[in-house]
Amino acid sequence: MQYLDKILPRLHRDYIKLLPADPVHRILSYIHPRDFCVAAQVSKPWLRALQDAQLWHKLYTRIGLSTLASANYAPDRSVKINARRIYNLANQAYGVLKHRKFRAHALGVLSLAFDGRVVATGSADNRCRVFDVRSGECVKELIGHEEGVYCIQIDDDKIITGSADATIKVWSLKDSALLATLGGHTETVTCLKINSNILISGSADRSCRIWHLNFAPETTAAGAPPALPLKSKGAAGTRGGSAKGSRSSPTAAGETTVSNKASLKTSCLRTLHGHTAGVKCLDFTPHVLISGDVHGLLRVWHVQSGNCLNTINGNALARSPDALSSPPMGAQIHDPISCMQYTGSRLVFGTFSGRLILCDMNPHPLLGGPTSTDYETLHKWATAKESIVVNHVFELGSGEKKGRGGGAGDGGILGDVKTSGISAASLGIISSDFGEKESQASSPGGIIITGMKVQGGTKPPLAGSAVTPTPTSTSRSIPAGPGHAGPRSWALCAQMDTWRLISGGGEGRCVVWNYRTGRRIYVLRGNTIDSGDGVVHVEEEGLSTEGEAGVEVSKGQTEETDKAVTGVAFDDRYTVIGSMDGFIRLWEATGAGDDSAIIVNYTVQAQILGENGQPVAGDRKAMQKIIRIKSLHANSNLAALAQEVVDKCKLISPSKVGDVEQTLYYLQQRQGGGGWESDRAWLQKQFDAHRIQDEPAPQQNEPPTMNNIEQYIEGLYEEIPDKIASTRNILQLARVPENMEALIGNGNHVVSRKYNTVFFSSNTSHPTCLDALMSALSRVLREDGKKSMELVTNIVYIFFCFSNFSQFHGFITANKVGDMCLRIADQELARFNLWVQDLGKLETKCAQNPRDTSLITELEQEHRKFQAMLRKQDQLLFVAFHLLLNLAEDLNIEVKMLKRDIVKYLVLMLDRKTPELLILVVTFLKKLSIFRENKDEMVKMAEQLLPKLDQLVPCEHPGLQNLTLRLLFNLSHDAQFRSILVKMGFLGKLVPLLNDKAHVIVTLQLLYQLSVDDKSKSSFSFTDVIPMIMRMILEPKTDSPTTIEVMALGINIASNPRNAEVMCDDNGLKFLMKRALKTRDPLLFKMVRNLSMHDGGIKMLFLDYIDDIMHVLFKPTTPPAILVELLGLLGNLTIPDFDFAKLAEAYNLIDFISRRLAAAVAGAGGSSGNSPEKEGGITEEDDITLEVVILLGTMGNDGDVAPMIARTNVLGLLIDLMIAKEEDDEIILQVIYCIYQFLLQGSTRTILLTRTQVVSYLIDLLYDRNVEIRKMCDICLDIIAEIDEEWVKKIRQQKFQWHNSEWLQLITQASLHGSEGFEESATLYSTHKLIDDWDGRKGRRGGITGLSVDSEDEDEEFGSSMMIGGNSALLDGP
């Protein structure tokens, strides 16, 4: 052992320090860039090696971007920044991307702009929308154009849009305000470009306009527009190199319309004429403008003078240098320039034939380049053949791919290319075949670049002349293949940066090239990446937005769209694609962002079977799993997200869902920049501060180690200073999770973090060391707890560290640590009260002696001591209650805590001011409030609890505010607590929180709970809740809360008359009806139906919408849920003068009712099983039937309806329905009410009495269990008796027969039970009570025992709450 102790240190060598540079670079190249930061912390030699520029050059070369090494590697920046940069570039180069998509518009996306933060889109729906790139939510919507938005630009805090209505609008990105409208073009504005305060637009009217945008007030004379920096040279349209007809003209000031935003001044400096067809695209630098038109011509302009420097035939540029001169007049060109990007040193433009031409804009060796400001110099440069040199021609092809080589349908051949004016060495035709490498031999149909000519395969070039392939030994072969293949291989959009070129085509694909190497990297289409090894489906993140047509992303399916790609933009992190299907597709480099993640630490232990077949414990390995939370944002549903994490990660126990949710909440706060601080970090900070401030720790020669644990335990039996030192050492060890395994004993148990997961590797007995430590700590805490606050805090903190692991809960409870924590809390609260009393006495003395400086000084010192002691006490209480919260995971322990009045202690803690302690206490109360016993205890203490929670609503701390609202929501399920909340004015405090996105959902849920009680509903009319709810319903936004919470609250408050009046004021009902008819939302119709319940002027307002309601009612596609609400709405219209007969005749309403009743009767026999059942076996058809019967009863108030009913079979169907729905009290009650209404009318009364057995059924129902049914039957029979005396005799006879049958049934049963049974039956009959098992006439259920006809019992309460005939009919007979 001594030998090993001597030799092992010699074997420890830093090989990075000792090896030469080349092998070091080779070793480090195998480290993933995301681990560079960890590697840089190993030692200084490792850091120096990772900062070596040669290493980074090799890393960039390895991913094929060696030319970017010098530009991207920054020696003065940290390793982290450089590693992230190369990591992003590598992912972009290899197509390691994440995919998201979201609906931007219902119609296609016509234009797109992206600035790294937001994506702005324009569409044929005349709207522009702005989306947050992280969440995909629509944050702005710009409405003002009268036709489609065809171009869009983002410039800092401005958005500029061009439309088919021939106008350009400038918007503010901050508040969506329209800053200016620029007019002057006469046709569609097709392209825009802004640089600083200069905006240039192109239009289908063949002109370009140069605009000046200035946010500062202008000082030029007489309102003249400000001049550009350089003066025009030469007459417009006469300069050499300009095409015939090219000119620049000034623009009248009246062409610009400025909005009321006085801070923005706009003016049109000049108009450029010369294009013979509509301008399709443009781009410019401060001095040179290049524009392309539908005829395929490029015009180079001088920005300052507006003169045309040259006209270039874009289609022939790749074939001949003569294209740099003006094309012949009248030439037929049919290949429009579709897109363009000009950077000053490079120009790329695309054509409708599917070509992308990349040109180098070389400076003239004598004249300079395009950066010159002199007009003459720029003119000579623009007309020189050496200035614009074709670098690559990306031939996108027009057919389908035929194998790996050439052939029919492969990329087209460009024909011969002369060397004059074009650099043949740099010219390349970029193919789209992924499998071949640049160094491979040529294949049939490939493209051969050799010397002076470019020759191709079997397919003839575009010019129509066939070319024979001529392979050469020195040639380089690039196999041809389709880029944007298919009949719509247009290059509609393109963008490039320092190494990438991305083009979107008409067939729905985006092709990504590395134009420095001339190689196509991959193709993006739908949610797939084609990198040559086959199509790879990229799983989407489930992002959805609540826009005009919010879409939920489909998962697990390969999606390939054939809709044209109309816009593409990208940066180092994102690639944004817009297409004609209305979607925005977002591709993000994996690992590019700072995604939130949960780290799960766990241990895997192998079990090996021994010779006897018994399992033998093998080696253990510590593992770590990172769960990246990609869709976490401010409005995330944390409960659903936590459940999804637990469901997908099998390492986390389902019981830990609450802990995962709390962790997600911490991440959400950090993401929002709230600077959320973890419990452990806060405690560490507090301990360090107090130790430095009050009692500095003694200097130690070496840090505490697990090897000295027995020594620290022995120190717990010494004096107080030694105990404090020992507990301090143990505490430092307990903070490290890895030490838990050693504490529990020789690795027999595997311990995991509380917030991660738990694994046990064996069930061996508990080690002696841990028992000794626990017993010693608990003994010191019990005996010396009052001697030193630091000692107590250290010990409780140690137990808190242990409580984070469920394996130690048994040790903690066995030593009664929880009980001691409650005793400590009681002790500290008593101590706090003494401090307050002493301080109060001193303040009284100072008030009595205001001139005594010594008392004032003493008071100030006591205040400082009090604050210091209060901080220490809050720290101790925080640890103690956090420990109890961890132990409360065991429900049995939670019950014991409840018996020890834990709720009382927590309520007292709400008086504290420390945010972290308050968060812990509210979290504890929220956890306890889930169970009824705990909730009842809190309700008993509501008078003490609510005033303290009242101070936290509203609260500046967002985390504390959210927890408080959730606690109130849990308690609001108790009716008594809801009543107290309303009395104490919490309703008014909750209203402002509806404007806070972080708390709006839980606030709506809490308001919904308060609206459940009828007594509390009227209170809403005295707050701003109703206007805010109406605004949320009528003006929904993408960032608004989910509709279900808003609608649920609106439905509840609409059932109150006072609230209904407020909601209908200012045309509120008009807007609600318009939105309901437009959206066909069943919940919105339910809310409107509730409004129709109230008598007075509100019902009269609905008369304006009867026709609209009837049209929706009779529409075949109307869902059953809406049908129920519309029928209920009509049934509520008990308006005396309303002509239901005219309505029934106009819309054939009686026939509709007849059909519905017939279907209900037919379906009662079991054929209605196709309808979805609700709770209690009731189906949607039953709901519709009930509302139809209610509507019929309401119509019965109109005397003109009865003759119409008499001519149909509706009355017979009502009787059949009463028999068929014998178990449905509501339908039976409403049917009897209809009978009551029709008994009052002569035409229908005759049919009821002569053609049906309604009297028998009514007598049968006289003894129903429902009191309201009994009352209605009695009223109906009284009406019948008053009409004809013969019916009186019949009714009496029917009643006698019924009573007689009852008596005989009772006698029969009594005879079976002897004399005692007879006496009991006689007693039952004498009190009119019925028996349970009587089987009466077919079609009606038997009587129910214990229900009296005349007594006011519980069943009267059951029936008394029912409404008859809508909501306000009187049941007082004729």
Side-chain angles (χ1 to χ4, degrees):
M1 292 300 295
Q2 294 179 354
Y3 170 76
L4 290 177
D5 292 340
K6 293 180 180 180
I7 198 64
L8 283 177
R10 299 182 183 180
L11 299 178
H12 295 166
R13 293 290 184 270
D14 189 348
Y15 54 88
I16 295 297
K17 179 180 179 181
L18 301 175
L19 291 175
D22 286 342
V24 168
H25 295 165
R26 182 69 177 272
I27 293 170
L28 294 179
S29 65
Y30 287 100
I31 301 178
H32 198 282
R34 65 169 173 256
D35 298 326
F36 277 9
C37 293
V38 178
Q41 298 175 13
V42 173
S43 62
K44 290 184 178 179
W46 283 66
L47 176 61
R48 286 193 295 268
L50 288 170
Q51 292 175 337
D52 191 348
Q54 294 183 2
L55 168 65
W56 290 94
H57 187 275
K58 293 178 181 179
L59 293 176
Y60 276 94
T61 303
R62 188 176 180 183
I63 63 174
L65 300 175
S66 58
T67 56
L68 302 180
S70 58
N72 284 272
Y73 173 64
D76 56 332
R77 305 301 294 272
S78 65
V79 174
K80 178 180 180 180
I81 294 176
N82 287 305
R84 178 175 294 178
R85 188 173 296 171
I86 193 174
Y87 186 27
N88 295 349
L89 286 173
N91 290 334
Q92 295 281 8
Y94 291 109
V96 184
L97 307 173
K98 297 182 294 186
H99 175 246
R100 290 183 287 161
K101 78 172 184 180
F102 48 87
R103 169 74 72 181
H105 299 273
L107 303 179
V109 175
L110 299 180
S111 54
L112 181 145
F114 172 56
D115 69 344
R117 301 167 301 150
V118 295
V119 181
T121 59
S123 174
D125 59 8
N126 311 343
R127 300 182 180 186
C128 168
R129 286 178 174 164
V130 183
F131 297 87
D132 182 82
V133 73
R134 283 183 64 91
S135 64
E137 295 181 351
C138 180
V139 296
K140 303 287 182 185
E141 185 172 33
L142 311 178
I143 301 176
H145 283 293
E146 297 178 358
E147 296 188 39
V149 180
Y150 278 80
C151 48
I152 191 168
Q153 287 281 292
I154 302 178
D155 180 52
D156 294 334
D157 58 347
K158 300 186 296 295
I159 292 183
I160 303 98
T161 56
S163 169
D165 61 9
T167 64
I168 302 168
K169 293 185 182 292
V170 184
W171 312 81
S172 171
L173 187 56
K174 294 181 179 179
D175 55 6
S176 305
L178 178 61
L179 303 179
T181 299
L182 311 179
H185 286 293
T186 58
E187 295 186 32
T188 300
V189 180
T190 56
C191 49
L192 289 170
K193 215 69 178 180
I194 187 170
N195 188 345
S196 184
N197 58 349
I198 298 299
L199 171 68
I200 302 182
S201 61
S203 171
D205 62 7
R206 308 179 184 181
S207 69
C208 297
R209 287 177 174 258
I210 303 178
W211 309 84
H212 182 264
L213 309 179
N214 190 5
F215 280 91
E218 296 295 339
T219 58
T220 53
L228 288 173
L230 296 182
K231 183 174 64 177
S232 301
K233 294 181 68 68
T238 62
R239 306 297 298 179
S242 297
K244 182 177 180 180
S246 299
R247 67 187 188 279
S248 169
S249 62
T251 304
E255 293 179 344
T256 301
T257 303
V258 183
S259 70
N260 57 1
K261 296 286 183 179
S263 59
L264 177 62
K265 305 294 183 181
T266 62
S267 57
C268 182
L269 302 181
R270 55 180 51 88
T271 304
L272 309 180
H273 299 282
H275 280 284
T276 58
V279 179
K280 188 65 178 169
C281 53
L282 60 83
D283 202 351
F284 73 99
T285 60
H287 307 291
V288 177
L289 163 67
I290 302 179
S291 58
D293 62 21
V294 176
H295 281 176
L297 298 181
L298 298 172
R299 287 185 179 269
V300 186
W301 308 82
H302 183 223
V303 175
Q304 278 70 25
S305 66
N307 294 326
C308 183
L309 300 172
N310 197 5
T311 302
I312 303 172
N313 187 336
N315 297 286
L317 184 61
R319 302 193 207 109
S320 171
D322 296 336
L324 294 177
S325 60
S326 301
M329 296 303 296
Q332 297 297 322
I333 301 173
H334 303 288
D335 195 4
I337 306 296
S338 57
C339 54
M340 174 191 302
Q341 184 180 356
Y342 172 50
T343 63
S345 61
R346 286 190 179 87
L347 168 69
V348 63
F349 62 92
T351 67
F352 268 40
S353 64
R355 290 179 179 176
L356 283 172
I357 301 171
L358 178 65
C359 303
D360 291 333
M361 310 296 282
N362 296 327
H364 194 279
L366 300 177
L367 301 176
T371 58
S372 175
T373 60
D374 181 64
Y375 171 79
E376 298 293 345
T377 301
L378 285 174
H379 178 259
K380 293 178 181 179
W381 166 81
T383 54
K385 294 183 178 181
E386 297 86 358
S387 299
I388 305 179
V389 178
V390 176
N391 184 305
H392 283 101
V393 178
F394 297 81
E395 178 66 37
L396 305 181
S398 59
E400 296 181 356
K401 187 174 180 180
K402 302 290 185 180
R404 299 185 65 81
D410 282 355
I413 310 303
L414 298 183
D416 295 344
V417 179
K418 299 179 181 179
T419 58
S420 176
I422 300 181
S423 175
S426 62
L427 177 64
I429 311 300
I430 306 305
S431 74
S432 59
D433 196 330
F434 297 106
E436 303 292 341
K437 304 294 182 182
E438 294 181 359
S439 61
Q440 290 179 346
S442 62
S443 59
I447 299 176
I448 311 300
I449 301 179
T450 169
M452 306 277 289
K453 296 184 178 181
V454 177
Q455 300 176 337
T458 58
K459 184 176 179 179
L462 296 178
S465 57
V467 181
T468 304
T470 309
T472 309
S473 58
T474 60
S475 65
R476 182 180 66 159
S477 171
I478 305 178
H484 291 294
R488 295 182 291 139
S489 57
W490 317 313
L492 298 181
C493 51
Q495 183 180 340
M496 64 177 174
D497 60 3
T498 55
W499 65 281
R500 269 183 305 171
L501 172 63
I502 302 181
S503 170
E507 79 290 355
R509 301 191 301 168
C510 273
V511 186
V512 184
W513 284 279
N514 182 344
Y515 65 79
R516 290 181 177 268
T517 62
R519 179 175 176 269
R520 192 177 80 171
I521 308 173
Y522 49 84
V523 175
L524 306 175
R525 182 171 185 174
N527 64 346
T528 61
I529 300 177
D530 187 354
S531 57
D533 299 326
V535 177
V536 178
H537 163 67
V538 180
E539 188 68 25
E540 299 169 354
E541 296 185 6
L543 178 75
S544 67
T545 61
E546 299 174 5
E548 179 182 58
V551 61
E552 184 177 350
V553 176
S554 59
K555 293 188 176 183
Q557 298 179 359
T558 299
E559 171 208 19
E560 293 189 1
T561 178
D562 59 352
K563 299 296 184 180
V565 175
T566 53
V568 61
F570 63 89
D571 59 7
D572 290 342
R573 179 174 178 178
Y574 296 104
T575 300
V576 185
I577 301 171
S579 60
M580 287 302 295
D581 59 3
F583 283 97
I584 294 296
R585 290 172 172 83
L586 195 69
W587 296 86
E588 180 181 359
T590 302
D594 298 324
D595 289 336
S596 302
I598 296 177
I599 300 176
V600 180
N601 297 313
Y602 62 100
T603 302
V604 176
Q605 179 174 10
Q607 286 191 348
I608 306 171
L609 295 179
E611 297 179 356
N612 56 355
Q614 296 296 325
V616 179
D619 295 335
R620 289 187 307 276
K621 184 178 181 181
M623 306 290 288
Q624 187 180 83
K625 181 177 181 61
I626 300 176
I627 305 174
R628 300 192 181 278
I629 312 299
K630 303 174 183 177
S631 56
L632 183 64
H633 50 86
N635 295 329
S636 294
N637 187 338
L638 297 184
L641 194 57
Q643 188 62 49
E644 182 180 0
V645 170
V646 173
D647 292 342
K648 292 185 177 180
C649 182
K650 303 303 181 184
L651 300 173
I652 303 178
S653 171
S655 63
K656 301 293 182 182
V657 174
D659 295 333
V660 175
E661 182 179 354
Q662 190 68 23
T663 303
L664 291 173
Y665 183 73
Y666 289 158
L667 293 175
Q668 188 185 54
Q669 296 300 318
R670 289 196 184 108
Q671 189 182 74
W676 186 273
E677 200 172 49
S678 68
D679 300 338
R680 188 176 294 276
W682 178 80
L683 282 172
Q684 179 65 45
K685 184 185 296 184
Q686 295 293 319
F687 266 90
D688 293 343
H690 294 323
R691 185 174 297 127
I692 294 173
Q693 204 174 53
D694 299 323
E695 299 180 14
Q699 296 294 328
Q700 296 182 352
N701 296 328
E702 59 182 12
T705 62
M706 291 300 299
N707 296 329
N708 299 329
I709 187 65
E710 294 183 359
Q711 177 182 344
Y712 304 146
I713 295 175
E714 292 176 358
L716 296 176
Y717 294 90
E718 304 297 335
E719 299 299 326
I720 294 296
D722 297 327
K723 292 178 180 178
I724 293 176
S726 297
T727 55
R728 189 182 297 120
N729 291 329
I730 297 172
L731 177 59
Q732 293 185 36
L733 295 175
R735 289 178 184 153
V736 182
E738 288 75 12
N739 292 334
M740 296 295 101
E741 184 174 347
L743 284 174
I744 207 168
N746 300 324
N748 290 326
H749 287 69
V750 179
V751 181
S752 62
R753 295 301 307 273
K754 170 192 172 187
Y755 293 108
N756 298 331
T757 185
V758 178
F759 280 88
F760 292 93
S761 58
S762 66
N763 293 318
T764 58
S765 59
H766 301 305
T768 306
C769 180
L770 183 58
D771 284 333
L773 176 62
M774 288 289 189
S775 61
L777 288 172
S778 59
R779 181 191 61 80
V780 174
L781 181 62
R782 184 171 52 254
E783 296 177 357
D784 301 327
K786 297 182 180 181
K787 297 180 181 180
S788 171
M789 181 176 289
E790 182 183 3
L791 178 63
V792 174
T793 305
N794 287 345
I795 296 175
V796 176
Y797 196 174
I798 294 170
F799 282 122
F800 162 68
C801 294
F802 281 112
S803 70
N804 286 322
F805 306 90
S806 59
Q807 294 93 330
F808 294 104
H809 286 189
F811 294 96
I812 296 174
T813 54
N815 289 279
K816 299 183 179 181
V817 176
D819 177 74
M820 286 187 283
C821 285
L822 288 176
R823 294 180 184 274
I824 290 172
D826 199 8
Q827 169 187 315
E828 294 302 322
L829 289 174
R831 182 181 298 177
F832 173 80
N833 292 332
L834 290 176
W835 291 345
V836 173
Q837 291 176 8
D838 294 341
L839 197 60
K841 293 178 181 179
L842 188 57
E843 289 175 348
T844 303
K845 289 183 180 179
C846 289
Q848 294 173 354
N849 302 281
R851 297 183 181 181
D852 192 339
T853 56
S854 61
L855 281 177
I856 296 175
T857 303
E858 183 182 358
L859 179 62
E860 291 176 354
Q861 292 177 353
E862 290 299 322
H863 270 294
R864 287 194 294 269
K865 290 181 180 179
F866 177 75
Q867 294 300 325
M869 295 301 295
L870 197 60
R871 286 195 299 270
K872 291 183 178 181
Q873 195 177 69
D874 283 351
Q875 175 185 333
L876 173 59
L877 292 173
F878 179 90
V879 180
F881 281 107
H882 211 320
L883 187 151
L884 292 173
L885 177 60
N886 291 346
L887 294 179
E889 293 180 359
D890 188 341
L891 296 182
N892 295 324
I893 298 178
E894 183 177 319
V895 172
K896 295 180 180 178
M897 291 182 185
L898 183 61
K899 294 179 180 179
R900 288 292 309 275
D901 293 331
I902 183 66
V903 175
K904 181 191 73 174
Y905 290 106
L906 293 173
V907 171
L908 292 174
M909 288 296 102
L910 291 174
D911 291 325
R912 299 299 177 125
K913 303 299 181 183
T914 305
E916 289 77 11
L917 180 58
L918 288 174
I919 288 173
L920 174 67
V921 170
V922 176
T923 302
F924 206 156
L925 287 171
K926 182 173 71 72
K927 180 184 184 302
L928 295 175
S929 65
I930 297 175
F931 297 96
R932 177 176 298 177
E933 295 79 3
N934 302 334
K935 183 262 298 180
D936 293 340
E937 186 67 23
M938 294 181 197
V939 172
K940 292 178 183 178
M941 299 186 64
E943 300 296 337
Q944 295 82 29
L945 174 63
L946 285 179
K948 298 178 180 182
L949 293 179
D950 181 71
Q951 303 298 321
L952 304 180
V953 181
C955 174
E956 295 180 357
H957 198 293
L960 181 58
Q961 179 72 90
N962 187 273
L963 289 169
T964 304
L965 292 174
R966 293 186 180 276
L967 170 61
L968 291 173
F969 174 70
N970 287 354
L971 296 175
S972 66
H973 289 80
D974 185 89
Q976 181 183 353
F977 192 84
R978 291 196 299 268
S979 176
I980 299 175
L981 277 177
V982 175
K983 289 180 182 178
M984 296 191 65
F986 269 81
L987 191 59
K989 287 180 169 289
L990 295 174
V991 174
L993 297 178
L994 291 175
N995 297 317
D996 192 341
K997 294 181 181 179
H999 310 304
V1000 61
I1001 293 180
V1002 66
T1003 303
L1004 284 170
Q1005 293 171 345
L1006 183 53
L1007 288 172
Y1008 170 80
Q1009 289 294 117
L1010 297 181
S1011 68
V1012 170
D1013 300 325
D1014 292 335
K1015 296 180 180 179
S1016 303
K1017 289 178 182 177
S1018 59
S1019 302
F1020 284 83
S1021 61
F1022 302 102
T1023 66
D1024 293 332
V1025 172
I1026 296 177
M1028 297 180 74
I1029 292 298
M1030 292 287 288
R1031 186 163 55 251
M1032 289 180 182
I1033 294 173
L1034 299 176
E1035 301 176 6
K1037 299 179 181 179
T1038 55
D1039 57 351
S1040 64
T1042 54
T1043 306
I1044 187 66
E1045 287 85 3
V1046 178
M1047 291 308 307
L1049 178 57
I1051 290 169
N1052 270 11
I1053 62 178
S1055 60
N1056 179 267
R1058 176 57 187 153
N1059 295 339
E1061 292 178 3
V1062 177
M1063 298 175 82
C1064 293
D1065 287 344
D1066 298 328
N1067 294 322
L1069 180 61
K1070 173 184 176 181
F1071 295 124
L1072 286 174
M1073 285 299 301
K1074 287 180 64 176
R1075 180 155 185 82
L1077 294 170
K1078 177 182 178 181
T1079 61
R1080 305 295 173 88
D1081 185 357
L1083 294 177
L1084 193 51
F1085 276 112
K1086 184 181 288 291
M1087 178 177 171
V1088 173
R1089 175 188 175 183
N1090 282 359
L1091 292 175
S1092 68
M1093 293 168 49
H1094 310 294
D1095 293 326
I1098 296 180
K1099 288 189 177 182
M1100 300 298 295
L1101 296 176
F1102 283 91
L1103 297 180
D1104 297 334
Y1105 309 102
I1106 291 297
D1107 291 331
D1108 296 326
I1109 293 172
M1110 298 305 293
H1111 282 122
V1112 177
L1113 181 66
F1114 286 100
K1115 197 170 184 179
T1117 57
T1118 301
I1122 296 180
L1123 203 60
V1124 169
E1125 305 305 332
L1126 292 178
L1127 289 169
L1129 193 155
L1130 291 173
N1132 287 339
L1133 299 182
T1134 53
I1135 303 173
D1137 298 331
F1138 184 64
D1139 193 349
F1140 271 106
K1142 184 177 180 180
L1143 181 69
E1145 183 178 357
Y1147 291 98
N1148 201 10
L1149 187 56
I1150 302 299
D1151 183 58
F1152 171 80
I1153 293 174
S1154 178
R1155 292 198 308 272
R1156 284 290 177 180
L1157 293 177
V1161 173
S1167 59
S1168 61
N1170 296 329
S1171 300
E1173 284 196 359
K1174 297 197 235 177
E1175 187 178 353
I1178 304 299
T1179 66
E1180 285 184 341
E1181 292 299 326
D1182 290 334
D1183 290 339
I1184 296 174
T1185 302
L1186 176 62
E1187 299 303 332
V1188 168
V1189 175
I1190 293 175
L1191 174 59
L1192 186 60
T1194 304
M1195 293 172 64
N1197 289 317
D1198 188 350
D1200 296 333
V1201 173
M1204 303 173 67
I1205 296 293
R1207 292 193 294 269
T1208 65
N1209 64 337
V1210 170
L1211 297 176
L1213 290 172
L1214 281 176
I1215 303 301
D1216 294 339
L1217 181 65
M1218 185 166 59
I1219 298 173
K1221 298 293 184 180
E1222 59 179 355
E1223 297 298 332
D1224 194 325
D1225 279 1
E1226 287 199 60
I1227 292 181
I1228 296 295
L1229 180 62
Q1230 298 299 339
V1231 169
I1232 298 173
Y1233 177 74
C1234 289
I1235 293 172
Y1236 159 74
Q1237 289 286 359
F1238 294 127
L1239 284 174
L1240 298 177
Q1241 309 295 332
S1243 57
T1244 51
R1245 180 172 59 245
T1246 303
I1247 296 177
L1248 283 171
L1249 297 178
T1250 60
R1251 299 183 186 178
T1252 67
Q1253 297 184 9
V1254 65
V1255 178
S1256 300
Y1257 296 130
L1258 291 175
I1259 293 174
D1260 186 6
L1261 292 172
L1262 273 176
Y1263 303 96
D1264 192 86
R1265 65 185 178 186
N1266 191 299
V1267 63
E1268 294 295 336
I1269 292 178
R1270 300 200 301 264
K1271 289 180 180 179
M1272 282 304 306
C1273 290
D1274 195 29
I1275 292 172
C1276 291
L1277 291 174
D1278 288 344
I1279 294 174
I1280 296 172
E1282 291 180 6
I1283 294 172
D1284 193 345
E1285 294 183 359
E1286 295 183 3
W1287 280 108
V1288 176
K1289 298 178 181 179
K1290 293 181 179 179
I1291 292 173
R1292 289 177 179 174
Q1293 182 179 2
Q1294 290 281 353
K1295 288 184 178 181
F1296 172 76
Q1297 292 178 356
W1298 194 93
H1299 282 284
N1300 190 43
S1301 63
E1302 274 292 288
W1303 175 254
L1304 293 176
Q1305 181 72 16
L1306 292 171
I1307 293 298
T1308 302
Q1309 288 194 356
S1311 63
L1312 297 177
H1313 296 86
S1315 59
E1316 294 181 0
F1318 178 80
E1319 293 177 1
E1320 182 181 356
S1321 299
T1323 303
L1324 285 173
Y1325 186 77
S1326 64
T1327 57
H1328 302 284
K1329 293 189 177 181
L1330 309 179
I1331 58 176
D1332 240 348
D1333 55 353
W1334 180 78
D1335 189 6
R1337 180 184 345 102
K1338 182 180 180 182
R1340 183 59 188 163
R1341 57 191 179 277
I1344 306 299
T1345 301
L1347 299 180
S1348 173
V1349 176
D1350 300 319
S1351 62
E1352 297 292 335
D1353 51 15
E1354 292 181 1
D1355 294 299
E1356 292 185 5
E1357 296 180 4
F1358 170 79
S1360 61
S1361 62
M1362 294 190 174
M1363 295 183 297
I1364 304 174
N1367 68 313
S1368 61
L1370 300 177
L1371 308 178
D1372 52 358

